[in-house]
Amino acid sequence: MGATNNSVKRPLGYTLTYDERRQFMHDHGTVGRTYAGKIWQYITGFIGLDDFEWGVTLFAETPLMFKKIIAEMRYYEASSVYGEFPYFVVGTHMDNAGLQKMFLENWEA
């Protein structure tokens, strides 16, 4: 299962000092590392190419992991003050056998 979000947004406090930004990202990363092995991520950057500076794509076995990490990170200043999360796109991956089972076996009269 995957979810993607174009999240950052307002620049992470370019008016803040380097040490303040470093602390924000340290706190953010500390939470993220607690989900190692449960959530995998791809981070993409596109400064000047989109309305956002970068995006995050997450992968997990269950959507519950997305709910947990998002709920936890929303209380950290890097997300709550400097993050914008307009929408999430959620999908799933199936092999051919799973796809056939979903469309053929479950829909037979």
Side-chain angles (χ1 to χ4, degrees):
M1 171 147 292
T4 189
N5 172 253
N6 294 332
S7 57
V8 179
K9 48 219 177 205
R10 291 167 273 193
L12 180 57
Y14 289 143
T15 59
L16 301 174
T17 67
Y18 175 78
D19 288 335
E20 289 171 315
R21 291 191 311 272
R22 183 176 57 184
Q23 186 62 50
F24 286 160
M25 294 313 296
H26 176 269
D27 295 344
H28 185 81
T30 299
V31 173
R33 284 188 294 280
T34 65
Y35 290 88
K38 300 173 193 162
I39 294 179
W40 299 267
Q41 70 177 352
Y42 288 108
I43 299 174
T44 54
F46 32 86
I47 295 173
L49 300 175
D50 197 306
D51 292 338
F52 299 91
E53 288 191 358
W54 55 302
V56 177
T57 300
L58 305 173
F59 295 93
E61 295 293 324
T62 171
L64 180 60
M65 289 295 107
F66 303 141
K67 178 184 181 256
K68 286 182 175 189
I69 194 169
I70 291 164
E72 188 171 350
M73 284 205 176
R74 70 190 297 185
Y75 295 101
Y76 287 87
E77 197 165 0
S79 297
S80 66
V81 174
Y82 297 100
E84 291 181 10
F85 305 98
Y87 59 88
F88 289 85
V89 177
V90 180
T92 188
H93 171 75
M94 285 188 203
D95 60 13
N96 285 336
L99 195 60
Q100 285 183 345
K101 180 177 181 180
M102 185 175 93
F103 283 113
L104 300 177
E105 292 177 19
N106 292 335
W107 296 100
E108 291 179 359

